[in-house]
């Protein structure tokens, strides 16, 4: 979502920009989609929600003012290696991120682009915050993610009027499966994986 937010800010896309999801080579890097399925021309909101790899990599390659590595550095991700270690593969989940770090990043979306430091409920010190996205791009990305059809059959009546924005993801090598959800003023992160980091192709976002 952060690539799409930066692409919005830099004028590369709008909500319904048509993007190509076709086999593409980026400077000798030939990424694939899950199951080698390509969907051709897709709108930006769909490409984001459906985790289309090629459109996301295309946008990352065309970001000028800052890219995903810059964003993650600014966001305070502690496990980053040198920029050259990742290249465009960082788009597809090759960088190590903790659950708390991911939660802080996602909190910027419902918080008008401000990323706040997470604290436990027993801490009373003020939370630090920093602007990561414009309020406008954060709003649009949230609306894009709300287009995702939630994976439940029956929405409880008490929350039927609360939109749910969510994104799933699978790390390179099936090391992790993630889901990040935004509803009302809450962010919920779910992780599935092995604590030793070993992959399992049953781990799908």
């Amino acid at each position: 979502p952060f690539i799409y937010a930066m692409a919005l800010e830099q004028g590369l896309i709008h909500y319904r920009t048509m993007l190509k999801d076709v086999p593409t080579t980026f400077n000798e890097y030939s990424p694939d989609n899950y199951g080698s399925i390509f969907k051709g021309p897709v709108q930006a909101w769909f490409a984001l929600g459906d985790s289309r790899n090629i459109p996301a990599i295309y946008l990352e390659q065309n970001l000028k003012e800052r890219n995903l590595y810059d964003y993650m550095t600014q966001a305070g991700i502690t496990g980053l290696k040198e920029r050259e270690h990742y290249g465009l593969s960082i788009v597809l989940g090759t960088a190590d991120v903790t659950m708390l770090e991911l939660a802080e990043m996602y909190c910027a979306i419902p918080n008008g682009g401000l990323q706040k430091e997470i604290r436990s409920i027993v801490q009373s010190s003020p939370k630090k915050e920093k602007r990561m996205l414009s309020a406008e791009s954060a709003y649009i990305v949230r609306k894009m993610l709300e287009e995702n059809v939630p994976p439940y059959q029956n929405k409880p009546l008490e929350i039927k009027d609360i939109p749910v924005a969510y994104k799933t993801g699978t790390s390179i090598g099936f090391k992790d499966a993630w889901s990040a959800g935004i509803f009302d003023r809450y962010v919920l992160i779910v992780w599935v994986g092995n604590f030793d980091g070993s992959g399992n192709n049953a781990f799908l976002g």
Side-chain angles (χ1 to χ4, degrees):
F2 313 106
I3 292 172
Y4 283 78
M6 290 185 287
L8 284 161
E9 292 176 355
Q10 296 181 28
L12 296 178
I13 59 169
H14 55 74
Y15 197 96
R16 299 192 182 278
T17 295
M18 298 303 295
L19 300 170
K20 293 189 296 184
D21 182 36
V22 296
T24 306
T25 298
F26 301 88
N27 300 331
E28 300 182 359
Y29 176 47
S30 299
D32 200 355
N33 283 323
Y34 177 70
S36 297
I37 297 172
F38 298 89
K39 298 194 175 181
V42 292
Q43 294 186 6
W45 69 267
F46 178 86
L48 170 57
D50 203 51
S51 299
R52 299 286 90 199
N53 289 341
I54 304 302
I57 294 171
Y58 167 79
L59 293 177
E60 169 72 6
Q61 187 182 48
N62 285 277
L63 292 173
K64 301 301 182 187
E65 297 159 25
R66 60 173 176 164
N67 58 24
L68 183 59
Y69 185 90
D70 299 326
Y71 188 97
M72 293 175 74
T73 300
Q74 185 183 353
I77 305 305
T78 57
L80 287 178
K81 299 179 174 65
E82 295 298 318
R83 183 188 304 270
E84 293 72 23
H85 176 81
Y86 304 107
L88 290 172
S89 74
I90 194 171
V91 176
L92 305 187
T94 57
D96 293 324
V97 181
T98 71
M99 182 182 281
L100 286 178
E101 289 172 341
L102 191 65
E104 284 191 358
M105 290 174 69
Y106 267 88
C107 282
I109 297 175
N111 200 38
L114 288 175
Q115 178 176 307
K116 291 191 175 184
E117 183 179 20
I118 287 181
R119 60 182 174 87
S120 73
I121 59 174
V122 298
Q123 289 176 315
S124 58
S125 58
K127 295 182 286 187
K128 299 176 183 175
E129 63 180 34
K130 52 190 168 186
R131 175 147 307 275
M132 295 297 298
L133 300 169
S134 68
E136 294 82 3
S137 68
Y139 176 85
I140 293 172
V141 162
R142 180 173 183 167
K143 291 302 176 183
M144 285 177 160
L145 294 175
E146 285 177 2
E147 296 268 13
N148 264 348
V149 178
Y152 42 65
Q153 293 182 339
N154 299 299
K155 193 172 185 179
L157 289 177
E158 61 268 30
I159 62 167
K160 68 182 181 64
D161 295 325
I162 299 177
V164 175
Y166 81 97
K167 179 75 179 70
T168 62
T170 305
S171 302
I172 286 287
F174 298 97
K175 290 200 308 177
D176 310 275
W178 294 91
S179 184
I182 301 166
F183 51 99
D184 193 32
R185 57 193 177 90
Y186 300 99
V187 168
L188 177 67
I189 307 291
V190 177
W191 171 85
V192 177
N194 292 316
F195 289 119
D196 64 2
S198 58
N200 183 332
N201 61 9
F203 294 157
L204 296 175

